[in-house]
Amino acid sequence: MTLRSVRGRRPAPAPGPARRRRRTALGRELLGFATTGLLAYAVDLALFTYLRGPAGLGPLTAKALSFVAGCSVAYLGNAHGTYRATRVRGLRAGAVFFAVNLAGAAVQLLCLAVSHYGLGLTSQRADTVSGAVVGMALATGVRFWGTRTLVFRNGGRVGPWTG
């Protein structure tokens, strides 16, 4: 008689040292990615505010320039911080990183469009929740997956700069 036949299921194995190390490494990777993302977001927001206000640029031009600046900060932070052990070089990595960030921006815009135009939730609060909360959360997932899978995909991940 096996343990499985008695209880109907096999007990979950206890987390071993290798599993704990992987979980800790993923946590550090997420923390590094989030820290870099917050810095990039701050640069994007501050530059957009400046370009839109005192510089007097139009909203699309200001957003395009601030987006490029934020992406550049995020790439440098991830390349020299979170994923420094992967040693990705060349223009390909930067181009793919920019494309991943464009995909994230598209996810945010899609959330806003579905909420505003599809569901008819047109208040300022609804736009903020759909674009800056739900959209940002989904876009961050897309960016994290794309950054670690498509840009810094080298298997040499060792402790990120946060730990």
Side-chain angles (χ1 to χ4, degrees):
M1 203 183 253
T2 66
L3 188 57
R4 178 175 225 149
S5 63
V6 172
R7 291 188 183 166
R9 62 184 168 91
R10 180 176 288 165
R19 183 188 240 175
R20 277 193 294 271
R21 275 194 303 274
R22 280 193 307 272
R23 206 174 349 189
T24 301
L26 179 62
R28 288 181 183 156
E29 184 181 350
L30 284 167
L31 182 60
F33 185 82
T35 302
T36 299
L38 283 173
L39 179 61
Y41 177 73
V43 167
D44 185 343
L45 182 62
L47 187 58
F48 177 76
T49 302
Y50 171 76
L51 292 174
R52 203 49 201 117
L57 294 179
L60 296 180
T61 303
K63 188 59 194 169
L65 292 173
S66 70
F67 177 78
V68 169
C71 280
S72 299
V73 167
Y75 179 76
L76 291 172
N78 281 310
H80 297 291
T82 308
Y83 299 103
R84 73 177 183 273
T86 61
R87 302 289 181 231
V88 174
R89 299 190 198 301
L91 291 177
R92 180 202 171 276
V96 173
F97 187 84
F98 189 75
V100 165
N101 277 277
L102 279 175
V107 166
Q108 279 183 271
L109 288 174
L110 182 63
C111 286
L112 179 60
V114 166
S115 171
H116 192 92
Y117 299 108
L119 300 176
L121 303 172
T122 58
S123 70
Q124 176 72 33
R125 180 177 292 164
D127 287 349
T128 301
V129 168
S130 64
V133 177
V134 175
M136 179 62 88
L138 293 174
T140 298
V142 167
R143 287 179 177 120
F144 180 70
W145 175 84
T147 297
R148 83 185 310 244
T149 305
L150 303 173
V151 182
F152 300 105
R153 62 181 169 194
N154 185 342
R157 286 189 181 91
V158 292
W161 65 275
T162 56

